[in-house]
Amino acid sequence: MSTTLPADSLVELAARKQLPHHQYTDPATVRWIAANRPELPDGPPPPTLRPSSRQLVTRAALPADWLAEARCHDSLHGIRHAVRTAAMAALLAETTGLGEDDTATLILAAAVHDCRRLHDKDDTGHGARTAIWLTENAGAVWDRFGLTATSSRVTAAGTAVRLHDLPYEHFSPDDRADHARTRAITDLLKAADALDRYRLPKLTWWPDPARVRAEAFADLRTTAFELVVRSESAWLAGADSAEAVLGSLAIMELIG
């Protein structure tokens, strides 16, 4: 994109390595994202979500007091990211034929995976921090999603959340053992999180198939890109973060 961007846009700040700890999208950055639409091969249309998944995605707009840092609510790792990641997790689950119970656990994990972040930079360890919070608050979290917090579901969701921010090559022996027990949910959460990277203000940070282990990842990249552009634009136009994404999902006919 050759257009000169404002010095305080996220794209320019990223280029100068001056991004603040709390990052909020801006009109110039969204225009830059749209202008850099990747050339992706035509794939199959996104799958139709089962009714239970559509309902769970609508509950992914977390209560504000579940966030560790209020300034993250509308930031790049806030509510819009949570709802989009939950939606992409639901689509990945549908495409890969994941069972009903595991799909529900995956969508819940996707919704909360970043809720204990303190800021929008690396925030090393936020996955582990969120996993502890999720385990300690399992009753309230599963109740919000209309689910029962069984021991196996809590363990699976907590493991996926704990590992979501660790590259596979950085797994310890214990991480690899935990991953082996929750492989499908963990792999799909990491893929759903990666699909939402089109919101980030640097092309090298955008989705990289080499970093995920989900065959359906490539087929959903176009959908993920469109959802980012639509929902970030809706938020800038005045919609709250949850409605910006849920309204965009409805327009895209991904939820009813």
Side-chain angles (χ1 to χ4, degrees):
M1 182 178 180
S2 59
T3 303
T4 301
L5 295 166
D8 58 352
S9 71
L10 290 183
V11 177
E12 282 297 304
L13 291 172
R16 301 199 306 267
K17 299 183 179 180
Q18 294 178 346
L19 283 168
H21 273 72
H22 298 98
Q23 301 161 25
Y24 306 92
T25 199
D26 56 86
T29 294
V30 174
R31 289 195 298 271
W32 173 87
I33 293 170
N36 282 283
R37 184 182 186 90
E39 294 184 9
L40 300 172
D42 291 335
T48 300
L49 293 181
R50 66 193 85 172
S52 59
S53 292
R54 293 198 296 270
Q55 184 178 47
L56 290 170
V57 169
T58 66
R59 296 180 180 180
L62 306 181
D65 61 2
W66 286 13
L67 304 184
E69 171 53 65
R71 286 174 291 180
C72 289
H73 187 279
D74 294 317
S75 75
L76 290 190
H77 289 90
I79 298 301
R80 296 191 306 287
H81 174 55
V83 180
R84 285 193 301 257
T85 304
M88 299 315 300
L91 291 168
L92 284 164
E94 211 69 55
T95 303
T96 57
L98 197 66
E100 188 93 9
D101 285 349
D102 283 347
T103 294
T105 300
L106 169 64
I107 295 171
L108 180 150
V112 304
H113 76 283
D114 273 348
C115 75
R116 305 310 286 175
R117 265 186 170 272
L118 301 177
H119 53 76
D120 293 300
K121 302 190 88 169
D122 287 345
D123 196 10
T124 302
H126 70 271
R129 189 186 312 133
T130 304
I132 293 170
W133 176 89
L134 178 59
T135 301
E136 293 176 345
N137 294 275
V141 176
W142 265 260
D143 281 351
R144 174 175 176 79
F145 286 84
L147 302 171
T148 301
T150 66
S151 177
S152 61
R153 288 173 175 174
V154 174
T155 297
T159 299
V161 167
R162 183 177 70 80
L163 296 177
H164 88 268
D165 61 333
L166 291 177
Y168 288 106
E169 62 270 22
H170 293 171
F171 280 9
S172 69
D174 286 344
D175 294 336
R176 289 194 289 273
D178 287 344
H179 174 247
R181 288 188 286 269
T182 60
R183 187 181 307 276
I185 292 173
T186 298
D187 288 350
L188 293 181
L189 174 57
K190 289 170 81 68
D193 189 27
L195 280 165
D196 197 45
R197 293 181 70 85
Y198 289 116
R199 76 197 189 284
L200 301 179
K202 197 169 184 177
L203 294 178
T204 56
W205 297 342
W206 282 15
D208 181 357
R211 295 181 177 272
V212 300
R213 299 179 182 178
E215 291 184 4
F217 181 86
D219 290 340
L220 290 172
R221 289 171 69 187
T222 298
T223 299
F225 181 87
E226 181 179 348
L227 182 57
V228 164
V229 173
R230 282 184 178 272
S231 56
E232 293 299 277
S233 298
W235 181 70
L236 288 170
D240 69 33
S241 278
E243 182 52 39
V245 182
L246 294 175
S248 297
L249 288 167
I251 291 170
M252 295 170 68
E253 300 183 341
L254 295 175
I255 62 172

Short mmCIF file of all heavy atoms in Angstrom, two decimals, residues 81-130:
data_model
loop_
_atom_site.label_atom_id
_atom_site.label_comp_id
_atom_site.label_asym_id
_atom_site.label_seq_id
_atom_site.Cartn_x
_atom_site.Cartn_y
_atom_site.Cartn_z
N HIS A 81 -11.73 -9.73 19.39
CA HIS A 81 -10.86 -10.88 19.13
C HIS A 81 -11.46 -12.15 19.75
O HIS A 81 -11.43 -13.22 19.13
CB HIS A 81 -9.48 -10.61 19.70
CG HIS A 81 -8.54 -11.77 19.63
ND1 HIS A 81 -8.24 -12.43 18.45
CD2 HIS A 81 -7.82 -12.40 20.60
CE1 HIS A 81 -7.38 -13.40 18.68
NE2 HIS A 81 -7.12 -13.42 19.98
N ALA A 82 -12.02 -12.04 20.95
CA ALA A 82 -12.61 -13.21 21.60
C ALA A 82 -13.76 -13.79 20.79
O ALA A 82 -13.84 -15.01 20.58
CB ALA A 82 -13.09 -12.83 23.01
N VAL A 83 -14.66 -12.92 20.32
CA VAL A 83 -15.83 -13.41 19.59
C VAL A 83 -15.41 -13.95 18.22
O VAL A 83 -15.91 -14.99 17.77
CB VAL A 83 -16.90 -12.31 19.46
CG1 VAL A 83 -18.11 -12.84 18.69
CG2 VAL A 83 -17.33 -11.81 20.83
N ARG A 84 -14.50 -13.26 17.54
CA ARG A 84 -14.04 -13.78 16.24
C ARG A 84 -13.33 -15.12 16.41
O ARG A 84 -13.52 -16.04 15.59
CB ARG A 84 -13.11 -12.77 15.56
CG ARG A 84 -13.83 -11.57 14.95
CD ARG A 84 -12.90 -10.79 14.02
NE ARG A 84 -11.72 -10.31 14.69
CZ ARG A 84 -11.51 -9.05 15.08
NH1 ARG A 84 -12.44 -8.13 14.88
NH2 ARG A 84 -10.39 -8.70 15.66
N THR A 85 -12.50 -15.26 17.44
CA THR A 85 -11.80 -16.53 17.65
C THR A 85 -12.80 -17.64 17.96
O THR A 85 -12.65 -18.78 17.47
CB THR A 85 -10.77 -16.40 18.78
OG1 THR A 85 -9.87 -15.34 18.48
CG2 THR A 85 -9.97 -17.68 18.94
N ALA A 86 -13.82 -17.34 18.74
CA ALA A 86 -14.86 -18.34 19.01
C ALA A 86 -15.57 -18.75 17.72
O ALA A 86 -15.86 -19.93 17.50
CB ALA A 86 -15.85 -17.80 20.02
N ALA A 87 -15.86 -17.77 16.86
CA ALA A 87 -16.53 -18.07 15.59
C ALA A 87 -15.65 -18.93 14.69
O ALA A 87 -16.11 -19.90 14.08
CB ALA A 87 -16.91 -16.77 14.88
N MET A 88 -14.37 -18.58 14.61
CA MET A 88 -13.47 -19.37 13.77
C MET A 88 -13.28 -20.77 14.35
O MET A 88 -13.16 -21.75 13.61
CB MET A 88 -12.12 -18.66 13.61
CG MET A 88 -12.19 -17.29 12.94
SD MET A 88 -13.24 -17.20 11.46
CE MET A 88 -12.43 -18.40 10.40
N ALA A 89 -13.28 -20.89 15.68
CA ALA A 89 -13.18 -22.20 16.30
C ALA A 89 -14.39 -23.05 15.95
O ALA A 89 -14.27 -24.25 15.65
CB ALA A 89 -13.06 -22.05 17.82
N ALA A 90 -15.57 -22.43 15.97
CA ALA A 90 -16.79 -23.16 15.62
C ALA A 90 -16.74 -23.64 14.16
O ALA A 90 -17.13 -24.78 13.85
CB ALA A 90 -18.01 -22.27 15.84
N LEU A 91 -16.26 -22.79 13.26
CA LEU A 91 -16.15 -23.18 11.86
C LEU A 91 -15.12 -24.28 11.66
O LEU A 91 -15.34 -25.23 10.89
CB LEU A 91 -15.78 -21.95 11.01
CG LEU A 91 -16.87 -20.89 10.89
CD1 LEU A 91 -16.30 -19.60 10.28
CD2 LEU A 91 -18.03 -21.40 10.04
N LEU A 92 -14.00 -24.18 12.34
CA LEU A 92 -12.98 -25.25 12.26
C LEU A 92 -13.54 -26.58 12.79
O LEU A 92 -13.30 -27.64 12.20
CB LEU A 92 -11.74 -24.86 13.06
CG LEU A 92 -10.83 -23.81 12.43
CD1 LEU A 92 -9.88 -23.23 13.46
CD2 LEU A 92 -10.02 -24.43 11.27
N ALA A 93 -14.27 -26.51 13.88
CA ALA A 93 -14.86 -27.72 14.45
C ALA A 93 -15.82 -28.37 13.46
O ALA A 93 -15.84 -29.60 13.30
CB ALA A 93 -15.58 -27.39 15.76
N GLU A 94 -16.63 -27.54 12.80
CA GLU A 94 -17.59 -28.06 11.83
C GLU A 94 -16.87 -28.71 10.66
O GLU A 94 -17.23 -29.79 10.18
CB GLU A 94 -18.48 -26.92 11.35
CG GLU A 94 -19.88 -27.33 10.98
CD GLU A 94 -20.71 -27.75 12.18
OE1 GLU A 94 -20.82 -26.97 13.14
OE2 GLU A 94 -21.24 -28.88 12.15
N THR A 95 -15.83 -28.03 10.17
CA THR A 95 -15.10 -28.52 9.00
C THR A 95 -14.38 -29.82 9.29
O THR A 95 -14.26 -30.69 8.41
CB THR A 95 -14.09 -27.45 8.54
OG1 THR A 95 -14.80 -26.24 8.27
CG2 THR A 95 -13.37 -27.88 7.28
N THR A 96 -13.90 -29.99 10.51
CA THR A 96 -13.14 -31.19 10.86
C THR A 96 -13.99 -32.29 11.47
O THR A 96 -13.47 -33.36 11.80
CB THR A 96 -12.00 -30.84 11.84
OG1 THR A 96 -12.57 -30.21 13.01
CG2 THR A 96 -11.01 -29.89 11.21
N GLY A 97 -15.29 -32.04 11.63
CA GLY A 97 -16.18 -33.07 12.16
C GLY A 97 -16.01 -33.34 13.65
O GLY A 97 -16.26 -34.46 14.12
N LEU A 98 -15.61 -32.32 14.40
CA LEU A 98 -15.44 -32.48 15.84
C LEU A 98 -16.80 -32.74 16.49
O LEU A 98 -17.81 -32.17 16.09
CB LEU A 98 -14.82 -31.21 16.43
CG LEU A 98 -14.20 -31.30 17.82
CD1 LEU A 98 -12.98 -32.20 17.81
CD2 LEU A 98 -13.82 -29.92 18.34
N GLY A 99 -16.83 -33.61 17.49
CA GLY A 99 -18.07 -33.97 18.15
C GLY A 99 -18.69 -32.80 18.91
O GLY A 99 -18.05 -31.80 19.19
N GLU A 100 -19.95 -32.96 19.28
CA GLU A 100 -20.72 -31.89 19.91
C GLU A 100 -20.08 -31.42 21.23
O GLU A 100 -19.92 -30.21 21.44
CB GLU A 100 -22.15 -32.39 20.19
CG GLU A 100 -23.10 -31.32 20.67
CD GLU A 100 -23.87 -30.67 19.53
OE1 GLU A 100 -23.79 -31.16 18.39
OE2 GLU A 100 -24.55 -29.66 19.79
N ASP A 101 -19.73 -32.34 22.10
CA ASP A 101 -19.17 -31.95 23.40
C ASP A 101 -17.82 -31.26 23.24
O ASP A 101 -17.56 -30.23 23.88
CB ASP A 101 -19.01 -33.17 24.31
CG ASP A 101 -20.35 -33.65 24.86
OD1 ASP A 101 -21.36 -32.91 24.72
OD2 ASP A 101 -20.39 -34.76 25.44
N ASP A 102 -16.96 -31.81 22.41
CA ASP A 102 -15.64 -31.21 22.20
C ASP A 102 -15.77 -29.85 21.51
O ASP A 102 -14.99 -28.93 21.79
CB ASP A 102 -14.74 -32.13 21.39
CG ASP A 102 -14.17 -33.27 22.21
OD1 ASP A 102 -14.27 -33.22 23.46
OD2 ASP A 102 -13.62 -34.22 21.62
N THR A 103 -16.73 -29.71 20.61
CA THR A 103 -16.95 -28.43 19.94
C THR A 103 -17.34 -27.37 20.96
O THR A 103 -16.84 -26.23 20.93
CB THR A 103 -18.03 -28.55 18.86
OG1 THR A 103 -17.55 -29.41 17.81
CG2 THR A 103 -18.38 -27.19 18.27
N ALA A 104 -18.23 -27.71 21.87
CA ALA A 104 -18.64 -26.77 22.91
C ALA A 104 -17.45 -26.36 23.77
O ALA A 104 -17.28 -25.17 24.09
CB ALA A 104 -19.74 -27.38 23.76
N THR A 105 -16.64 -27.32 24.16
CA THR A 105 -15.46 -27.02 24.97
C THR A 105 -14.50 -26.12 24.21
O THR A 105 -13.93 -25.17 24.76
CB THR A 105 -14.74 -28.32 25.38
OG1 THR A 105 -15.65 -29.13 26.14
CG2 THR A 105 -13.51 -28.04 26.22
N LEU A 106 -14.31 -26.38 22.92
CA LEU A 106 -13.43 -25.57 22.09
C LEU A 106 -13.92 -24.13 21.99
O LEU A 106 -13.13 -23.19 22.14
CB LEU A 106 -13.33 -26.20 20.69
CG LEU A 106 -12.65 -25.35 19.61
CD1 LEU A 106 -11.19 -25.09 19.95
CD2 LEU A 106 -12.79 -26.03 18.25
N ILE A 107 -15.20 -23.93 21.72
CA ILE A 107 -15.74 -22.57 21.57
C ILE A 107 -15.59 -21.80 22.87
O ILE A 107 -15.20 -20.62 22.87
CB ILE A 107 -17.20 -22.62 21.10
CG1 ILE A 107 -17.30 -23.23 19.69
CG2 ILE A 107 -17.82 -21.22 21.10
CD1 ILE A 107 -18.72 -23.51 19.23
N LEU A 108 -15.88 -22.44 23.98
CA LEU A 108 -15.71 -21.79 25.29
C LEU A 108 -14.25 -21.40 25.50
O LEU A 108 -13.95 -20.27 25.90
CB LEU A 108 -16.20 -22.74 26.39
CG LEU A 108 -16.10 -22.26 27.83
CD1 LEU A 108 -17.21 -22.89 28.67
CD2 LEU A 108 -14.75 -22.60 28.46
N ALA A 109 -13.34 -22.32 25.23
CA ALA A 109 -11.90 -22.02 25.40
C ALA A 109 -11.48 -20.87 24.50
O ALA A 109 -10.70 -19.99 24.92
CB ALA A 109 -11.07 -23.27 25.09
N ALA A 110 -12.00 -20.85 23.28
CA ALA A 110 -11.65 -19.77 22.35
C ALA A 110 -12.14 -18.42 22.86
O ALA A 110 -11.45 -17.40 22.72
CB ALA A 110 -12.24 -20.06 20.97
N ALA A 111 -13.31 -18.40 23.44
CA ALA A 111 -13.88 -17.14 23.93
C ALA A 111 -13.04 -16.55 25.07
O ALA A 111 -12.85 -15.33 25.14
CB ALA A 111 -15.31 -17.36 24.40
N VAL A 112 -12.52 -17.39 25.95
CA VAL A 112 -11.83 -16.87 27.14
C VAL A 112 -10.31 -16.86 27.02
O VAL A 112 -9.63 -16.40 27.93
CB VAL A 112 -12.23 -17.69 28.40
CG1 VAL A 112 -13.73 -17.69 28.60
CG2 VAL A 112 -11.68 -19.11 28.35
N HIS A 113 -9.76 -17.33 25.91
CA HIS A 113 -8.33 -17.67 25.87
C HIS A 113 -7.40 -16.50 26.20
O HIS A 113 -6.29 -16.71 26.67
CB HIS A 113 -7.95 -18.27 24.51
CG HIS A 113 -7.83 -17.28 23.40
ND1 HIS A 113 -8.94 -16.73 22.76
CD2 HIS A 113 -6.75 -16.73 22.79
CE1 HIS A 113 -8.54 -15.91 21.82
NE2 HIS A 113 -7.22 -15.87 21.81
N ASP A 114 -7.83 -15.28 25.96
CA ASP A 114 -6.98 -14.10 26.22
C ASP A 114 -7.51 -13.22 27.35
O ASP A 114 -7.02 -12.10 27.54
CB ASP A 114 -6.86 -13.24 24.95
CG ASP A 114 -5.73 -13.70 24.04
OD1 ASP A 114 -4.90 -14.51 24.46
OD2 ASP A 114 -5.69 -13.22 22.88
N CYS A 115 -8.48 -13.68 28.11
CA CYS A 115 -9.18 -12.76 29.01
C CYS A 115 -8.32 -12.29 30.18
O CYS A 115 -8.67 -11.29 30.82
CB CYS A 115 -10.49 -13.37 29.51
SG CYS A 115 -10.34 -14.66 30.75
N ARG A 116 -7.23 -12.95 30.46
CA ARG A 116 -6.37 -12.50 31.56
C ARG A 116 -5.12 -11.80 31.05
O ARG A 116 -4.14 -11.62 31.80
CB ARG A 116 -5.99 -13.67 32.46
CG ARG A 116 -7.18 -14.44 32.99
CD ARG A 116 -8.25 -13.56 33.61
NE ARG A 116 -7.86 -13.03 34.92
CZ ARG A 116 -8.57 -12.16 35.61
NH1 ARG A 116 -9.71 -11.68 35.12
NH2 ARG A 116 -8.15 -11.74 36.78
N ARG A 117 -5.15 -11.38 29.80
CA ARG A 117 -4.05 -10.56 29.29
C ARG A 117 -4.00 -9.23 30.05
O ARG A 117 -5.02 -8.66 30.41
CB ARG A 117 -4.26 -10.26 27.80
CG ARG A 117 -3.56 -11.20 26.85
CD ARG A 117 -3.71 -10.71 25.43
NE ARG A 117 -2.88 -11.44 24.50
CZ ARG A 117 -1.63 -11.14 24.21
NH1 ARG A 117 -1.06 -10.09 24.80
NH2 ARG A 117 -0.94 -11.85 23.34
N LEU A 118 -2.78 -8.71 30.18
CA LEU A 118 -2.58 -7.41 30.80
C LEU A 118 -2.36 -6.32 29.77
O LEU A 118 -2.53 -5.14 30.08
CB LEU A 118 -1.40 -7.47 31.77
CG LEU A 118 -1.53 -8.51 32.90
CD1 LEU A 118 -0.27 -8.51 33.75
CD2 LEU A 118 -2.76 -8.24 33.74
N HIS A 119 -1.96 -6.71 28.56
CA HIS A 119 -1.72 -5.74 27.50
C HIS A 119 -1.67 -6.46 26.17
O HIS A 119 -1.83 -7.69 26.10
CB HIS A 119 -0.44 -4.93 27.76
CG HIS A 119 0.78 -5.77 27.99
ND1 HIS A 119 1.44 -6.43 26.97
CD2 HIS A 119 1.45 -6.08 29.13
CE1 HIS A 119 2.47 -7.08 27.46
NE2 HIS A 119 2.51 -6.90 28.76
N ASP A 120 -1.43 -5.69 25.08
CA ASP A 120 -1.49 -6.23 23.72
C ASP A 120 -0.13 -6.59 23.14
O ASP A 120 -0.06 -6.95 21.96
CB ASP A 120 -2.19 -5.22 22.79
CG ASP A 120 -3.65 -5.06 23.12
OD1 ASP A 120 -4.38 -6.06 23.06
OD2 ASP A 120 -4.06 -3.94 23.45
N LYS A 121 0.91 -6.50 23.92
CA LYS A 121 2.22 -6.93 23.42
C LYS A 121 2.39 -8.41 23.76
O LYS A 121 1.40 -9.13 23.90
CB LYS A 121 3.30 -6.02 23.98
CG LYS A 121 3.06 -4.54 23.58
CD LYS A 121 4.20 -3.62 23.89
CE LYS A 121 5.18 -3.58 22.74
NZ LYS A 121 6.19 -2.49 22.90
N ASP A 122 3.59 -8.91 23.89
CA ASP A 122 3.77 -10.35 24.06
C ASP A 122 3.07 -10.90 25.30
O ASP A 122 2.48 -11.97 25.25
CB ASP A 122 5.26 -10.69 24.13
CG ASP A 122 5.95 -10.56 22.78
OD1 ASP A 122 5.24 -10.49 21.76
OD2 ASP A 122 7.20 -10.52 22.75
N ASP A 123 3.15 -10.22 26.42
CA ASP A 123 2.53 -10.66 27.67
C ASP A 123 2.79 -12.15 27.91
O ASP A 123 1.85 -12.96 28.02
CB ASP A 123 1.03 -10.35 27.67
CG ASP A 123 0.44 -10.43 29.08
OD1 ASP A 123 1.21 -10.53 30.05
OD2 ASP A 123 -0.79 -10.41 29.20
N THR A 124 4.05 -12.49 27.97
CA THR A 124 4.46 -13.88 28.14
C THR A 124 3.76 -14.51 29.34
O THR A 124 3.71 -13.92 30.42
CB THR A 124 5.98 -13.97 28.33
OG1 THR A 124 6.61 -13.38 27.19
CG2 THR A 124 6.43 -15.41 28.47
N GLY A 125 3.22 -15.70 29.14
CA GLY A 125 2.57 -16.43 30.22
C GLY A 125 1.08 -16.17 30.36
O GLY A 125 0.45 -16.72 31.27
N HIS A 126 0.50 -15.37 29.46
CA HIS A 126 -0.92 -15.07 29.64
C HIS A 126 -1.80 -16.31 29.44
O HIS A 126 -2.88 -16.40 30.03
CB HIS A 126 -1.38 -13.93 28.72
CG HIS A 126 -1.43 -14.27 27.27
ND1 HIS A 126 -0.36 -14.12 26.42
CD2 HIS A 126 -2.45 -14.76 26.50
CE1 HIS A 126 -0.72 -14.47 25.20
NE2 HIS A 126 -1.97 -14.87 25.22
N GLY A 127 -1.33 -17.27 28.64
CA GLY A 127 -2.10 -18.49 28.46
C GLY A 127 -2.19 -19.28 29.75
O GLY A 127 -3.27 -19.74 30.15
N ALA A 128 -1.06 -19.45 30.42
CA ALA A 128 -1.05 -20.16 31.70
C ALA A 128 -1.87 -19.41 32.74
O ALA A 128 -2.61 -20.01 33.53
CB ALA A 128 0.39 -20.33 32.17
N ARG A 129 -1.77 -18.09 32.75
CA ARG A 129 -2.52 -17.26 33.70
C ARG A 129 -4.03 -17.44 33.48
O ARG A 129 -4.79 -17.57 34.43
CB ARG A 129 -2.12 -15.80 33.50
CG ARG A 129 -2.65 -14.83 34.53
CD ARG A 129 -2.32 -13.40 34.13
NE ARG A 129 -0.93 -13.24 33.74
CZ ARG A 129 -0.52 -12.60 32.66
NH1 ARG A 129 -1.40 -12.05 31.82
NH2 ARG A 129 0.76 -12.51 32.38
N THR A 130 -4.43 -17.45 32.21
CA THR A 130 -5.84 -17.62 31.90
C THR A 130 -6.32 -19.02 32.26
O THR A 130 -7.45 -19.20 32.74
CB THR A 130 -6.11 -17.33 30.42
OG1 THR A 130 -5.64 -16.01 30.11
CG2 THR A 130 -7.59 -17.41 30.09
#
